[in-house]
Amino acid sequence: MNKVVILYYHRINEQKTDYNLTNVSPGNFEAQMKMLLEKYDVISIYDIYDGSAFKRDRNAVAITFDDGYKDVFNNAVPLLESMEINYTCLITTQNIWGGDENWTDVVTRVAFEPEVFHEECKLIIDGEQKVFMTDCLENRVAFYRALQQIYKTSSCEEWNEISIKIREWAGIRNSVRSSYRIMDIDDIKRIKERGGIIGAHTVSHPYLSCLNEREIEYEVSESKKTLEKITGEKVDIFSYPFGDAPKKVRSVLDTCGYKIAMTSNKGVVTKNSDVMYLPRIGVKDWSIHDFGNVLEDAFR
């Protein structure tokens, strides 16, 4: 019996800096897609759900994109359409109206690309002043990780207040950089109209394991409702932000009517895989040689 690999991408762009190693250049992306068509069956994510993915002569690959960056719409979608490749875009809905960047990009910008450099940052966390040194790259990496941890343990209101303070500290105005924009409503509609699949990736890209039941329900259901309103069709595919897939989310996904949910746990999909915890392989800006090796190792 053949196997299936679900690949997940984030950004397709000529990015000068890529601190999170989530960007793939358009040139490498095109080469990767050509190789997939030559060696594998490139399938729809729904082929996994109905079982047809496992009735093929060759191993199969499904293509997914997390977050919903506009550069995917600009640089990947036209190529995928011209090559008639199935794909799924999983959208974080909070910023589809263009009001802000994803919080993960804000934190990266504050830590590594501030407009004003300081040797330290003082923040009030849980009523106590914390001092974070930012005078060298090593300390900025530690500051970046600390901000991620603060986000995990903060309420929405607390994080909004902290976000304002760290932006002011970094000299960053509340503006969206063109290369960090999220797809807008028209982009999402066009993808659906042209045969692409739209799925949900929560509202605000939180760590779901850190949320209570009410907050989980909001993130899971509201993103679905928003995308269904935009596309006019049912949205029943989900991917867990950061691959954070606590068991307590499963019942909420079931209640909302999701058919498929994907993690970022590395692995291959078989006929016996749980469709609500499907593994995937994250793609980096690999050469075609390295990309091929990753897939060969996965299918071995």
Side-chain angles (χ1 to χ4, degrees):
M1 183 181 295
N2 67 313
K3 298 178 182 178
V4 176
V5 162
I6 305 174
L7 298 176
Y8 72 100
Y9 294 81
H10 289 88
R11 310 196 61 195
I12 309 298
N13 202 346
E14 294 289 359
Q15 194 85 351
K16 292 183 179 179
T17 55
D18 184 18
Y19 296 103
N20 295 315
L21 301 178
T22 57
N23 186 68
V24 176
S25 70
N28 278 343
F29 179 73
E30 181 175 2
Q32 291 169 5
M33 294 303 103
K34 288 179 178 178
M35 196 211 77
L36 290 180
L37 289 177
E38 291 174 1
K39 293 190 174 183
Y40 305 100
D41 288 351
V42 185
I43 62 171
S44 164
I45 201 73
Y46 285 118
D47 293 338
I48 296 172
Y49 181 79
D50 67 20
S52 61
F54 308 104
K55 300 175 182 178
R56 296 170 178 268
D57 294 330
R58 299 197 298 180
N59 287 325
V61 176
I63 308 296
T64 65
F65 300 88
D66 279 5
D67 299 338
Y69 284 102
K70 194 174 182 71
D71 56 47
V72 169
F73 179 79
N74 291 336
N75 300 326
V77 169
L79 177 70
L80 294 167
E81 290 177 350
S82 69
M83 300 176 78
E84 299 183 343
I85 292 177
N86 291 299
Y87 66 96
T88 301
C89 290
L90 301 127
I91 313 293
T92 300
T93 57
Q94 187 174 55
N95 295 313
I96 59 177
W97 294 276
D100 201 356
E101 297 177 7
N102 281 345
W103 76 266
T104 51
D105 294 322
V106 172
V107 167
T108 302
R109 186 180 185 186
V110 166
F112 299 114
E113 298 179 337
E115 297 296 323
V116 180
F117 282 87
H118 302 279
E119 292 190 352
E120 64 180 24
C121 177
K122 297 178 180 179
L123 295 172
I124 303 297
I125 308 297
D126 296 330
E128 296 184 10
Q129 185 180 77
K130 303 287 186 181
V131 179
F132 303 94
M133 299 306 298
T134 57
D135 55 337
C136 64
L137 179 58
E138 181 180 1
N139 285 337
R140 287 185 175 275
V141 170
F143 180 43
Y144 167 74
R145 291 173 177 165
L147 289 175
Q148 287 186 311
Q149 189 61 35
I150 291 169
Y151 176 88
K152 283 185 182 182
T153 57
S154 298
S155 67
C156 182
E157 293 77 15
E158 290 169 337
W159 176 254
N160 287 340
E161 184 176 339
I162 292 169
S163 180
I164 291 171
K165 290 180 179 178
I166 60 176
R167 291 182 208 228
E168 290 176 348
W169 172 85
I172 296 170
R173 289 177 291 180
N174 192 20
S175 59
V176 182
R177 294 168 290 179
S178 60
S179 58
Y180 288 85
R181 292 188 182 279
I182 298 299
M183 294 180 199
D184 59 30
I185 292 173
D186 288 339
D187 299 333
I188 296 168
K189 285 182 178 179
R190 290 190 189 110
I191 286 174
K192 191 63 179 178
E193 290 167 357
R194 296 172 183 174
I197 298 171
I198 296 295
H201 195 45
T202 71
V203 174
S204 65
H205 206 285
Y207 291 90
L208 290 171
S209 60
C210 297
L211 303 185
N212 60 38
E213 186 175 342
R214 178 185 58 81
E215 292 167 333
I216 290 171
E217 183 177 358
Y218 170 78
E219 291 285 343
V220 170
S221 65
E222 286 302 312
S223 54
K224 173 181 168 71
K225 291 175 185 176
T226 297
L227 293 168
E228 287 178 339
K229 186 175 181 180
I230 292 171
T231 63
E233 297 185 18
K234 189 173 183 179
V235 170
D236 51 17
I237 297 176
F238 182 83
S239 66
Y240 302 92
F242 306 107
D244 182 22
K247 297 296 183 182
K248 61 183 178 180
V249 179
R250 175 67 180 262
S251 62
V252 181
L253 292 170
D254 290 341
T255 299
C256 289
Y258 286 99
K259 292 181 177 179
I260 297 171
M262 294 171 282
T263 71
S264 56
N265 296 330
K266 188 175 181 180
V268 299
V269 179
T270 69
K271 188 176 181 179
N272 296 322
S273 296
D274 187 338
V275 293
M276 301 307 287
Y277 296 100
L278 292 176
R280 295 186 293 174
I281 294 177
V283 183
K284 301 185 185 302
D285 195 28
W286 293 318
S287 67
I288 195 63
H289 174 76
D290 291 340
F291 181 68
N293 285 342
V294 169
L295 286 171
E296 286 180 11
D297 288 344
F299 284 121
R300 189 166 292 150

